[in-house]
Amino acid sequence: MTQPTMQQVAEAAGVSTALVSLVMRGAPNVSDKRRALVLKAVDELGYRPNVLARNLASRRTHTLGVVVNDLHNSFFAEMVDGIQTTAAANGYRILIGNGQHSRRGEADAIETLLQLRVDGLVLAGAVVTEGEMERAAKSAAVVAIGRTASSLEIDTVNCDESVGARLVIDHLVSLGHRRISHIDGGSGAGAATRRQGYEAWMREYGLGDCINTAGGDFSESGGYNAADELLTLHPRPTAIFAANDLSAAGALDRVEDAGLDVPSDLAIVGYDNTGLAAMHHLSLTTINQPRGEFGRIATELILQRLDDGRSTAVHHVVAPTLVVRRTSGPHVEASREGEVAS
Amino acid sequence: MTQPTMQQVAEAAGVSTALVSLVMRGAPNVSDKRRALVLKAVDELGYRPNVLARNLASRRTHTLGVVVNDLHNSFFAEMVDGIQTTAAANGYRILIGNGQHSRRGEADAIETLLQLRVDGLVLAGAVVTEGEMERAAKSAAVVAIGRTASSLEIDTVNCDESVGARLVIDHLVSLGHRRISHIDGGSGAGAATRRQGYEAWMREYGLGDCINTAGGDFSESGGYNAADELLTLHPRPTAIFAANDLSAAGALDRVEDAGLDVPSDLAIVGYDNTGLAAMHHLSLTTINQPRGEFGRIATELILQRLDDGRSTAVHHVVAPTLVVRRTSGPHVEASREGEVAS
DNA sequence: CGTGGAGATGAGAGCGCTCTAATCCGGAGG
DNA sequence: CCTCCGGATTAGAGCGCTCTCATCTCCACG
């Protein structure tokens, strides 16, 4: 279990440890002869550099820490892909810390990563306080995805939720909808901005009177209950804009239970473009956030601080896009006429 | 950006670095007076122990590496929770490496973690070769989840797929089904054992004649196409056992497109009990694997090697359970009678 | 054949911590 | 008041590597 050291490799190859170090780091000024000698020894001994010692001595880990708020949320997976790809392309490795969905867990993960002396830290959907982020920023380059930060030391990457809301309203209005209700995300991350965007764009279209928000909590059952509430309205809304896909799915359930047809009786639009939305079964119109892009940009921001020495904060805002699927369609007055006729 | 060291803390507190070290590690034989002195200095300087140096000096990292094959698969999230909880309870922290769904990515992640000198390594759904696992086992305690290993150095944790298949067949047969078809997972992990279990238990019930497998690939569209194929059979199967939830969802789609009712015309059972299956909209009967349990057991196996010095391999097999939801119900001959009547 | 200089190699001092062995200290016991 | 003892404290030698200099090679050039 005890591993060979650079010292042993040096002895086996008949050179100095400094030379072995150079070879291991791929330095250019090493003769082919010695390089071969060293590599042979490395191979025979099964030598594996001790990153701990290396990092300690070089005061640089070339490692980025990624703290995800919740591993269960597949939203983060693509983000991590983007981070990992960009990091690898620049000679950095990544280490993932799991926030376990709590502020405490997140703080622990950050601490662990900082103790390991990561060069940079990507906080994805972090719920820790800004103070904790600033504290972290004293030891590493920090970028937060999906939240704001006012410190000069912290960069951010966000999606323009207002644009997202606008895309939804634009889409629905162009389909002839006017009574567009919203199912919000309660106190969840991003819920407030989405709701504000909804209200702002409704007013922009002169539909201030039609603004109507039912309380949700980003969950399926929350969406179900909110839809239940919306269905009792007179006149009934012709479209529902849910704050995320899961609650849209819940709403869809409730609406279909009521015997209404989606989208002809009622259109439903979600948010996030999760795997769920793409399922044939649901085929939900939704807003897509470029998650891989988030990761890529976040990583680049860190690299700028690390390698280019930038020291002012950059706040990146990315525009979301609309993905049209089955659950949205032209407004049809059928159901209302039906009511009148009966 | 440069961080305070133990040296500085010692000076500030007017004690030796050795004493600071003792305080940081919570040693018992330190007077309250000095301890307070040290903690005060730590706090004022914002000192954070350098894990790199600590690990280097102590030759122990108290860190477990977790390599997940694919972060996108939420299957692993619960497993990681189990690992993390158990590890934390025993004074270990975890670091997650992402295999990026490829053998190469996995090998890289393993190498990174080993270079960091993790004490143990949990390979979740790993696709690396056994040789690579054995190589890793030379440097850390290794346990593989969801695959076999013959080395004495490697423990494993697996689910008994045969029992899973049996639970499904038992359930369907007890509901009166006989013509139970299978949608398999092609060459995916676990697909073969699930298919074999299906066939074995069908024979056990004397239903060898009804064995019928349509090729899938663990995907939604694969399930859809397989169901398409199964619906052309005469007589048509009355139940479908899909190798995972996603293909079950695809099958469900196809079956409902055909105007058949689930479960009265055709029952559908999935496998894995993913979040998908739990959705009200699908409400899929499926097989649950105790994922958190996997993680817990895997971690305990590692701790046994690490702290108790076990040196023989242990292969743990866990039993899955059946989760009955909406998509399975008694066999009703209605559709067939309907055909006869027309 | 001597010389200069660029490229290749080596010596050695840390990096920040742990850990062993040695030292210190205060009070119980004589 | 001295001795002794055990807990509290410290000195100092590493852990395995990097990095700065110093040194050594070797060959083109005069």
Side-chain angles (χ1 to χ4, degrees):
Chain A
M1 211 86 154
T2 175
Q3 309 223 358
T5 69
M6 186 171 270
Q7 174 82 40
Q8 294 170 38
V9 174
E11 278 165 19
V15 299
S16 68
T17 58
L19 216 239
V20 177
S21 175
L22 289 174
V23 172
M24 293 314 291
R25 282 175 290 153
N29 296 340
V30 176
S31 65
D32 290 344
K33 180 183 133 205
R34 309 272 176 141
R35 184 187 305 278
L37 232 45
V38 170
L39 291 179
K40 180 162 159 287
V42 164
D43 194 50
E44 284 171 358
L45 272 64
Y47 170 71
R48 169 181 293 129
N50 185 327
V51 176
L52 259 34
R54 184 207 292 259
N55 292 348
L56 180 60
S58 67
R59 263 138 303 183
R60 202 71 151 59
T61 60
H62 284 281
T63 300
L64 304 184
V66 179
V67 176
V68 300
N69 164 265
D70 181 15
L71 218 50
H72 291 80
N73 191 337
S74 68
F75 189 89
F76 295 121
E78 279 182 54
M79 214 137 78
V80 171
D81 283 346
I83 296 169
Q84 191 156 13
T85 304
T86 312
N90 289 279
Y92 284 78
R93 73 182 90 216
I94 74 165
L95 244 24
I96 303 168
N98 182 13
Q100 301 225 89
H101 206 46
S102 74
R103 180 164 310 185
R104 178 64 198 286
E106 239 173 48
D108 283 353
I110 292 176
E111 183 64 24
T112 292
L113 259 7
L114 286 182
Q115 287 188 359
L116 279 168
R117 298 298 195 266
V118 292
D119 293 333
L121 203 51
V122 181
L123 304 180
V127 293
V128 290
T129 63
E130 178 139 5
E132 286 174 296
M133 297 206 301
E134 281 173 16
R135 187 162 154 276
K138 291 201 195 314
S139 320
V142 173
V143 46
I145 301 182
R147 70 171 285 174
T148 56
S150 55
S151 161
L152 264 182
E153 316 276 301
I154 301 173
D155 300 328
T156 62
V157 181
N158 278 286
C159 205
D160 193 330
E161 309 279 14
S162 164
V163 168
R166 176 189 174 173
L167 287 170
V168 174
I169 307 299
D170 275 0
H171 174 61
L172 290 173
V173 166
S174 75
L175 289 172
H177 294 275
R178 294 180 56 83
R179 293 195 304 283
I180 304 168
S181 293
H182 181 57
I183 295 178
D184 81 353
S187 57
T193 45
R194 287 174 197 182
R195 184 177 51 242
Q196 286 154 15
Y198 157 74
E199 291 173 0
W201 289 103
M202 285 295 277
R203 286 204 197 86
E204 193 73 19
Y205 274 108
L207 299 176
D209 299 345
C210 301
I211 290 176
N212 201 304
T213 299
D217 55 2
F218 280 152
S219 77
E220 189 187 11
S221 60
Y224 190 92
N225 295 334
D228 193 55
E229 181 187 329
L230 293 175
L231 288 181
T232 64
L233 296 177
H234 285 286
R236 189 210 297 145
T238 66
I240 293 178
F241 164 29
N244 76 338
D245 288 345
L246 203 53
S247 51
L252 183 59
D253 239 14
R254 179 65 192 87
V255 170
E256 290 184 341
D257 281 359
L260 297 176
D261 183 67
V262 174
S264 72
D265 291 331
L266 189 69
I268 297 182
V269 178
Y271 208 108
D272 283 346
N273 193 24
T274 54
L276 200 63
M279 285 201 58
H280 186 173
H281 207 79
L282 285 178
S283 190
L284 191 66
T285 293
T286 189
I287 292 294
N288 181 63
Q289 305 194 22
R291 288 162 276 195
E293 193 77 354
F294 278 7
R296 186 182 62 73
I297 294 173
T299 310
E300 283 171 359
L301 289 179
I302 285 192
L303 294 178
Q304 284 170 15
R305 286 203 186 244
L306 254 30
D307 299 335
D308 306 343
R310 174 168 57 74
S311 58
T312 53
V314 169
H315 301 289
H316 231 285
V317 178
V318 188
T321 54
L322 178 75
V323 181
V324 179
R325 293 207 183 85
R326 189 185 57 82
T327 58
S328 65
H331 171 46
V332 181
E333 284 293 327
S335 64
R336 204 189 186 181
E337 284 163 14
E339 278 173 47
V340 172
S342 67
Chain B
M1 211 86 155
T2 175
Q3 309 225 358
T5 70
M6 187 172 269
Q7 175 81 40
Q8 294 170 38
V9 173
E11 279 165 18
V15 300
S16 70
T17 59
L19 214 242
V20 176
S21 176
L22 288 174
V23 172
M24 293 313 292
R25 282 175 290 152
N29 296 340
V30 176
S31 66
D32 289 345
K33 180 183 133 207
R34 309 273 176 137
R35 185 187 303 278
L37 231 44
V38 169
L39 290 178
K40 179 162 160 287
V42 164
D43 194 50
E44 283 172 0
L45 272 64
Y47 171 71
R48 168 181 295 129
N50 185 328
V51 175
L52 257 35
R54 186 208 292 262
N55 292 348
L56 180 59
S58 68
R59 263 138 302 181
R60 202 73 150 57
T61 60
H62 284 281
T63 301
L64 304 183
V66 179
V67 177
V68 299
N69 165 264
D70 181 14
L71 218 51
H72 290 81
N73 191 336
S74 68
F75 189 90
F76 294 122
E78 280 182 52
M79 214 137 77
V80 170
D81 283 345
I83 295 169
Q84 192 156 12
T85 304
T86 312
N90 289 278
Y92 283 78
R93 72 183 89 216
I94 74 166
L95 246 22
I96 303 167
N98 182 13
Q100 301 227 87
H101 205 46
S102 74
R103 180 165 310 185
R104 179 63 198 286
E106 239 173 48
D108 284 353
I110 292 175
E111 183 65 24
T112 292
L113 259 8
L114 286 182
Q115 287 188 359
L116 280 168
R117 296 298 195 265
V118 292
D119 294 332
L121 204 52
V122 180
L123 304 179
V127 295
V128 290
T129 64
E130 177 139 5
E132 286 174 295
M133 297 207 300
E134 282 174 15
R135 188 161 153 276
K138 291 201 197 314
S139 320
V142 173
V143 46
I145 300 181
R147 70 170 287 173
T148 56
S150 55
S151 162
L152 262 183
E153 316 276 300
I154 301 173
D155 300 327
T156 62
V157 181
N158 278 285
C159 205
D160 193 331
E161 308 280 15
S162 165
V163 169
R166 176 188 176 173
L167 287 170
V168 173
I169 307 300
D170 275 359
H171 174 62
L172 291 172
V173 166
S174 74
L175 288 172
H177 294 276
R178 293 179 56 83
R179 293 196 303 282
I180 303 168
S181 293
H182 181 58
I183 295 178
D184 81 353
S187 56
T193 46
R194 288 174 196 183
R195 184 176 52 242
Q196 286 155 16
Y198 158 73
E199 292 173 359
W201 289 103
M202 284 294 277
R203 285 203 198 85
E204 194 73 19
Y205 275 107
L207 300 175
D209 297 348
C210 300
I211 290 176
N212 202 303
T213 299
D217 55 2
F218 279 151
S219 76
E220 189 186 12
S221 60
Y224 190 92
N225 295 333
D228 193 54
E229 183 186 329
L230 293 176
L231 288 181
T232 64
L233 295 178
H234 286 286
R236 190 210 298 144
T238 67
I240 293 178
F241 165 28
N244 76 338
D245 289 345
L246 202 53
S247 51
L252 182 61
D253 238 16
R254 179 66 190 87
V255 170
E256 289 183 341
D257 280 359
L260 296 176
D261 183 68
V262 174
S264 71
D265 291 330
L266 189 69
I268 297 182
V269 179
Y271 208 108
D272 282 346
N273 193 25
T274 54
L276 200 62
M279 285 201 59
H280 186 176
H281 206 79
L282 285 177
S283 189
L284 191 66
T285 293
T286 189
I287 291 293
N288 181 62
Q289 304 195 22
R291 286 161 278 196
E293 193 77 353
F294 279 7
R296 185 182 64 71
I297 294 172
T299 310
E300 282 170 359
L301 289 179
I302 286 193
L303 294 177
Q304 284 170 16
R305 287 204 185 244
L306 253 30
D307 299 335
D308 307 343
R310 174 167 59 73
S311 60
T312 53
V314 168
H315 300 290
H316 232 285
V317 178
V318 188
T321 54
L322 178 74
V323 180
V324 178
R325 294 207 184 85
R326 188 185 57 82
T327 58
S328 65
H331 171 47
V332 181
E333 283 294 329
S335 64
R336 205 190 185 179
E337 284 162 14
E339 278 172 46
V340 172
S342 67

